[in-house]
Amino acid sequence: MKAAFDPPLAASALRTRAMRLLDLADPHQVIEWANAALIEDPTNDSLVALAILDAEDGQEVDSALDAVLAEMGIAPLYPNEAAMILAKKTAEDIIANKVTPHDGARFIWVKLARRVPEVEEALRVFIGLASEWEEDPIHREQYDSDIVRASRSLVRTM
Amino acid sequence: MTTAATTTRPAIGHPNSANTPKHAFAPFAPFGPRSSTASNVTLPAQRPNLDLWPGQLASATSPHDFYVSVGAGSQTAVLVHNCGDEPQSAQSGVMLGRQMASEAQMSEGGTSIAGAGSSAPLRAAGQLAEDYGGDAADWSKMTSSSYEGSDGFQFETHWYQNDQLGIRTEFKVNITGGM
């Protein structure tokens, strides 16, 4: 077992588990992730065990992914934690212009806030901004800016 | 894959609005009469890998926006947003469930998501005050709870509201899953 893990790899593992927990990734994608992660860390035994699994067995894949996280010292995720991890990542991607403000806000609305009621209040601003972006074409540029501002605020508070 | 956008917010449901349908509305179903396309909607793609935003994004291409009735004899228009075609036959039971859920959503108190009572701005508030009256600061956009049918079809209703005037208007159904 390694004593320390590459922080980006740990963050990536956490996001992968979060996506799996919220049904935003299928077992095949998890195994693809594990194979890609092995390039970064080829000596990680739990990653190897995950990468060679049959993707047909989702439970086995999830257990193996949990083992990867456990080896990194990361506790199992709850859905609210998973949703906020992905919301933060989406907000970062909005700020970095990797996704349009509306696409990101709608993802947070539909895929995170509506799926995990515990985080709905914290993410509600994105629901309103995405909804109005769609309904009020005259003010879309302003709503784009509002979404970026809300993203910065979310990232700052997490 | 995107759809065209209109240039103005239609004042649906306003009795004096030219955009308010005067005909009998279609039943709650995605095969109702198409009247307009209100927005340009792009959705995140099915991810081929675990990057949240891998390159090209897929989007909702199906023509959308349908005016539907709230109930028999109702003159309240509901704009169904982002909705595609489905076979009309064998859908009536599902549609009835959706219609009942839609009506239930419209009777909810709702939660503010923009404008008054929210941290999100409502930039159409001035126009709403002009169209319906009251102060712009008193207008808010509300959301219902989200409904998910046994088939995974998911939607919620949004509308504008002014508590000072007791007005709830421009109901719009947003399809959020199961397409």
Side-chain angles (χ1 to χ4, degrees), chain B residues 21-143:
Chain B
K22 305 299 183 191
H23 54 77
F25 301 117
F28 184 83
F31 37 80
R34 282 191 191 115
S35 55
S36 68
T37 298
S39 65
N40 188 342
V41 179
T42 304
L43 300 175
Q46 286 296 107
R47 286 163 301 285
N49 55 48
L50 288 175
D51 183 0
L52 274 176
W53 316 105
Q56 187 74 28
L57 294 171
S59 60
T61 56
S62 53
H64 50 286
D65 290 350
F66 304 81
Y67 290 106
V68 299
S69 66
V70 178
S74 170
Q75 288 301 301
T76 302
V78 178
L79 185 63
V80 178
H81 177 65
N82 192 19
C83 198
D85 290 323
E86 291 179 28
Q88 186 160 357
S89 61
Q91 292 287 329
S92 58
V94 173
M95 291 305 156
L96 179 61
R98 293 177 188 174
Q99 180 169 354
M100 291 174 69
S102 179
E103 291 179 16
Q105 286 181 342
M106 292 172 66
S107 67
E108 291 180 14
T111 302
S112 175
I113 55 172
S118 165
S119 59
L122 179 59
R123 300 188 184 282
Q127 188 63 49
L128 287 162
E130 199 172 300
D131 289 347
Y132 300 100
D135 293 333
D138 293 331
W139 281 94
S140 57
K141 184 158 201 186
M142 308 294 287
T143 181

Side-chain angles (χ1 to χ4, degrees), chain A:
Chain A
M1 185 181 292
K2 293 184 67 172
F5 289 89
D6 182 31
L9 181 61
S12 172
L14 203 53
R15 280 198 302 274
T16 301
R17 188 67 186 103
M19 291 172 73
R20 184 73 189 125
L21 196 60
L22 299 183
D23 204 22
L24 295 169
D26 63 34
H28 288 93
Q29 291 171 304
V30 174
I31 290 175
E32 280 177 23
W33 169 82
N35 278 285
L38 274 177
I39 296 169
E40 304 295 320
D41 188 1
T43 64
N44 186 319
D45 292 340
S46 58
L47 263 181
V48 172
L50 174 58
I52 62 173
L53 282 180
D54 180 357
E56 298 307 313
D57 189 339
Q59 280 191 332
E60 195 177 15
V61 169
D62 290 341
S63 296
L65 181 54
D66 282 338
V68 172
L69 290 169
E71 196 171 326
M72 294 177 171
I74 299 170
L77 284 177
Y78 290 99
N80 60 323
E81 295 170 320
M84 291 310 289
I85 285 167
L86 295 178
K88 184 187 178 196
K89 169 65 174 156
T90 304
E92 288 169 345
D93 288 349
I94 290 170
I95 295 164
N97 207 25
K98 292 180 181 174
V99 62
T100 68
H102 170 252
D103 286 336
R106 188 172 174 91
F107 179 85
I108 291 172
W109 162 17
V110 172
K111 300 295 186 185
L112 304 178
R114 285 308 190 203
R115 287 192 183 190
V116 185
E118 295 95 320
V119 303
E120 192 268 343
E121 186 174 354
L123 302 178
R124 191 176 292 154
V125 64
F126 292 97
I127 302 176
L129 294 173
S131 176
E132 276 303 282
W133 187 99
E134 293 172 12
E135 194 152 352
D136 186 1
I138 294 171
H139 294 111
R140 280 187 180 165
E141 282 187 25
Q142 290 99 318
Y143 280 119
D144 281 341
S145 299
D146 292 334
I147 292 168
V148 172
R149 201 171 300 120
S151 299
R152 289 203 177 101
S153 175
L154 179 67
V155 169
R156 240 189 341 262
T157 57
M158 288 188 68

